[in-house]
Amino acid sequence: MLALRDPDEAYRRSQFDARISGASAADLVRVCVDEVVDSLALAVLAHRQRNYTLRSRALTRAVTALTALEMGIDRQAPLASALLQFYGAARIRVLDSAVRFETPALEEVRSDFADLRAAFA
């Protein structure tokens, strides 16, 4: 049914499902970070094109990925507090842009997560 409504979304979803199937914890973190970077880029592009439906979907995917990152933190780990603050602040900025879109704020969050992704490489 999804494929009949939005083939691009169906393809993206099947690609995402394939990436997480059998993935390690580190791989799942990379997937979520990739999702944040890609979704925020898409949200900014959709906003410029005045495609508010796509913008909303992209912001929702970014929030979902950020929430997954937060939930996956081992609260006993030495960096847990810093990661909770980092992910939480990013999630708040993305949620704020759902109400009042702030391209510079989203580009900053995207840049931070792109740096994180590069550090994983």
Side-chain angles (χ1 to χ4, degrees):
M1 180 68 88
L2 179 61
L4 296 176
R5 290 192 323 228
D6 188 350
D8 292 332
E9 181 63 20
Y11 177 75
R12 188 201 69 79
R13 182 69 190 165
S14 66
Q15 196 175 36
F16 181 79
D17 290 346
R19 283 186 73 191
I20 63 171
S21 179
S24 69
D27 290 336
L28 291 174
V29 169
R30 282 189 208 83
V31 167
C32 288
V33 169
D34 287 345
E35 188 68 20
V36 171
V37 172
D38 297 343
S39 294
L40 293 179
L42 182 59
V44 169
L45 176 65
H47 180 74
R48 287 185 182 135
Q49 295 176 344
R50 299 182 192 271
N51 186 339
Y52 302 117
T53 301
L54 181 59
R55 180 183 80 182
S56 178
R57 280 191 216 146
L59 290 174
T60 298
R61 283 201 305 266
V63 169
T64 300
L66 289 164
T67 301
L69 287 167
E70 282 182 283
M71 291 174 59
I73 294 172
D74 174 2
R75 302 303 198 260
Q76 305 305 315
L79 292 177
S81 178
L83 287 172
L84 284 168
Q85 183 177 359
F86 177 65
Y87 295 152
R91 187 172 46 78
I92 288 168
R93 291 185 94 180
V94 173
L95 286 170
D96 286 348
S97 284
V99 176
R100 181 172 166 225
F101 200 83
E102 296 284 340
T103 298
L106 290 181
E107 288 177 340
E108 184 178 333
V109 172
R110 183 184 179 281
S111 176
D112 290 344
F113 277 83
D115 290 346
L116 187 58
R117 176 167 65 183
F120 290 155

